[in-house]
Structure formats: structure tokens, C-alpha cells
Amino acid sequence: DRSMEVIEELLAISYVQALGVALLSVVAAFLVEQIIARTIAVAASRTKTDLDDAIVEIIRRPIFISVLLYGLSWSEDLLELPDGFEGPVEALLQTIAIIIWTVAVMRVGGLLLETGSAKARDRSMLQPRTLPVFDILLKTFAIAACCYFVFLAWNVDLTGWLASAGIVGIAVGFAAKDTLANLISGLVILADAPYKVKDWIVLDNDLRGEVTHIGIRSTRILTNDDVEINVPNGVIGNAQLRNESGGPHVRQRVRVKYSVAYGSDLARVREVVTGAIADTPNILTSPAATTRICSLGESGLDFEALVWIEQHRTRDDVIAAVTTRIYDALNAANIEIPYNKTDVYIKQMPDRR
């Protein structure tokens, strides 16, 4: 009887009760983890996909810690801490739980997005190229929600913060409008995918090169001069962009313009030029090189030679080689290459008196 009375007296002490609840919470957390490992994890391992196994592995630890934190919160209630201590301790425990589950949500969400993008159809919004956009949005919303619930856990009034954030946001928007424009354009480029890494692009018919990196703020382009240029995405978003690698085939047609004098034999011109450029280095034999008349120019007949290339880096070299061959062939065949001439007619000679 005396021992029972001693036990009852000990159990009546708040510290003993809190310690008991804390120990029970540890045991409960281990039991819950074992149940997950021996039931849900085993069931997930029997499926054909590894996605559920990865999700179970991610949420096991947050569940364990959540059970443990719940027990610690219960213990804190039993301790009857002095005023000024209960609130911060409870808020701290809630903050830990919020952060842990935020990380878990981001990891699970990223895993789902990666799996979905790998199995997406052609017309689906979620594609491997748009995966970074959705990943950034997921992390942004998760972190924003985490901050919101942490503020609520610490009983922070968000009204003043939101008002201040609005004013600061307007000021930052005006001060960093170019940076924001680049970031938004980067997201649009990643989502719309007008080009990809290894593509050859031309901006405003001026800058031409191979895309080496696509970032949120800028795109890096490697030119034929072996110079890498960092172009802000805002500039690319407002520029006329030509993707030379964007067609259904790897090959690309190159046009080389030239002119011959009026009165030249058109069939002879085609024969001479086609024969001269047919075996130019770095061009394809199929489709074969051809030439055609384009217009009746001011000083002569305007033609263009059409050849196909497969290596985009050789475009400038091919244009130079084809132009040289056309010039040499026309001269060898005595076909005149016209140039601008001005005829002056004098209607009346001035009086010599």
C-alpha cells in the first residue's frame, strides 16, 4: 500500500508527468516509424514504380519528428511553465514542425514534377524544358506558406507587414524593373522554349551563335569567333529571333545572292553556277545545290544559289566558298557581272559665244 501511495505521489508531480509523456512520445514515434517501415513501405516496394518508395522514404522522418514534437508539446502543457515561457516554447515546436514539413513538401513535389515531366505528352504543359519553371513556382509557394504559418505560430500580426511589403514591393519594382523583366522573360523562355541548348539562333539579324546556357536572368551564346556573349533574357524577349536549328531536320539551307548582266543566257548561267558549287566543301549532296532567278534588278538579273549544310558552324565558311566559286566560274565563262552604272545624256551643248 505504501509503494502505491509513493507511486501516486510521484505521478502527481508535474515534472514526472511531463517526463513520462516525453518518454512515451519517443516510444510512440519509434512505433509509428516501424509501422510505416513494415506496412506502407513494404506495400510500396511491391509496386512497379519507384515513385511511391521514394515518397514513403521522404515522409518517414517528418512523421517521426511530428509525433515526437506533439509529445513534447503535451509535456510542456503538463509542466505549467511560468508566464512568458509557454508561448515561445509552443511556437518554437510549431516552427520546427512547419519547417520540416515544408522541406518534405518541396522534396515530394519536386519528385512528382520530375516524374510527370518524364512521362508528359507532347501537348502537356509540364515538359522537361518547363520543369524548372514549375519547380521554382513550387518552392516559392512552399516557402511563402512556411513563412505565413511561422508568423501565425509566433502570433505576429501580418497586417502591418503586408502593408509595408506592398510599399517596399512598389519601390523595388521601379528600382529593379530591368532585373524583373529579365526574370519574367527567363520564365517565359523556359516555358515556351523558342530555343534550347545547342541550338543556333540569330537575334535581330545581327548576333548569331550557339546557345550554351539558358538561365533565369540571361542566355549565353557562343559565336563563330569563339566569343561567348551573355544576353539578358529581356533583350531576347523583345528581339526578332530566328532559330536555325528549330526545323524538323538538322540541315539548313543557305542562300548566296549574285547578279549577271542583262542579255545573259539564263540556261548557261544556271549550268555554270550549279556545276561550280556542286562539290563545295561542307555542303550536302542531297538535296543538291541549285540556282534560280529572283528578280529583274536595276543593273542586272538577280540570282541566288541554294545549298544545304548540316553543320551550322560552317555557314559563314560555306557562304564565302560558294561566293568565291560563283565569281571565278562567271569570269571563266565570260558572263558579265554587272555593277551600278549611270548614263548621262546631254540634250544641248552650251553656246560657246
Side-chain angles (χ1 to χ4, degrees), residues 111-191:
L111 187 62
L112 292 175
L113 288 175
E114 184 177 354
T115 304
S117 64
K119 300 180 180 180
R121 298 180 179 178
D122 293 338
R123 296 185 179 181
S124 176
M125 292 184 61
L126 181 60
Q127 299 284 343
R129 66 174 183 269
T130 61
L131 179 60
V133 177
F134 288 96
D135 187 59
I136 291 172
L137 292 176
L138 170 66
K139 291 180 179 178
T140 300
F141 284 118
I143 293 175
C146 175
C147 294
Y148 175 76
F149 287 114
V150 167
F151 279 131
L152 291 183
W154 290 90
N155 295 322
V156 176
D157 187 8
L158 298 178
T159 305
W161 288 82
L162 293 176
S164 301
I167 298 174
V168 172
I170 294 175
V172 172
F174 279 108
K177 59 180 181 179
D178 293 336
T179 302
L180 292 176
N182 291 331
L183 293 176
I184 295 174
S185 297
L187 294 176
V188 172
I189 289 172
L190 289 173

Side-chain angles (χ1 to χ4, degrees), residues 18-164:
L19 179 60
V21 170
L23 293 176
L24 288 176
S25 66
V26 174
V27 174
F30 275 108
L31 289 176
V32 170
E33 188 177 27
Q34 290 299 316
I35 292 173
I36 294 175
R38 298 187 179 185
T39 57
I40 301 178
V42 172
S45 64
R46 295 175 180 175
T47 59
K48 296 181 180 179
T49 177
D50 295 331
L51 177 62
D52 48 3
D53 300 78
I55 294 176
V56 171
E57 188 63 29
I58 291 173
I59 66 175
R60 278 179 59 180
R61 188 57 57 182
I63 293 176
F64 173 86
I65 297 176
S66 296
V67 174
L68 186 60
L69 291 176
Y70 180 78
L72 294 178
S73 176
W74 190 4
S75 300
E76 182 263 338
D77 292 336
L78 295 175
L79 284 176
E80 298 180 357
L81 296 176
D83 294 340
F85 286 93
E86 292 185 1
V89 172
E90 185 72 20
L92 179 61
L93 296 176
Q94 292 179 7
T95 301
I96 295 173
I98 292 170
I99 294 175
I100 291 173
W101 278 105
T102 299
V103 174
V105 167
M106 288 192 295
R107 291 180 62 189
V108 172
L111 187 62
L112 292 175
L113 288 175
E114 184 177 354
T115 304
S117 64
K119 300 180 180 180
R121 298 180 179 178
D122 293 338
R123 296 185 179 181
S124 176
M125 292 184 61
L126 181 60
Q127 299 284 343
R129 66 174 183 269
T130 61
L131 179 60
V133 177
F134 288 96
D135 187 59
I136 291 172
L137 292 176
L138 170 66
K139 291 180 179 178
T140 300
F141 284 118
I143 293 175
C146 175
C147 294
Y148 175 76
F149 287 114
V150 167
F151 279 131
L152 291 183
W154 290 90
N155 295 322
V156 176
D157 187 8
L158 298 178
T159 305
W161 288 82
L162 293 176
S164 301

Side-chain angles (χ1 to χ4, degrees), residues 158-219:
L158 298 178
T159 305
W161 288 82
L162 293 176
S164 301
I167 298 174
V168 172
I170 294 175
V172 172
F174 279 108
K177 59 180 181 179
D178 293 336
T179 302
L180 292 176
N182 291 331
L183 293 176
I184 295 174
S185 297
L187 294 176
V188 172
I189 289 172
L190 289 173
D192 191 41
Y195 55 85
K196 59 183 181 297
V197 176
K198 298 297 183 181
D199 280 357
W200 280 79
I201 63 174
V202 181
L203 297 180
D204 288 334
N205 295 320
D206 182 20
L207 175 62
R208 178 179 182 271
E210 181 184 10
V211 178
T212 59
H213 174 75
I214 303 174
I216 295 297
R217 194 194 68 83
S218 62
T219 296

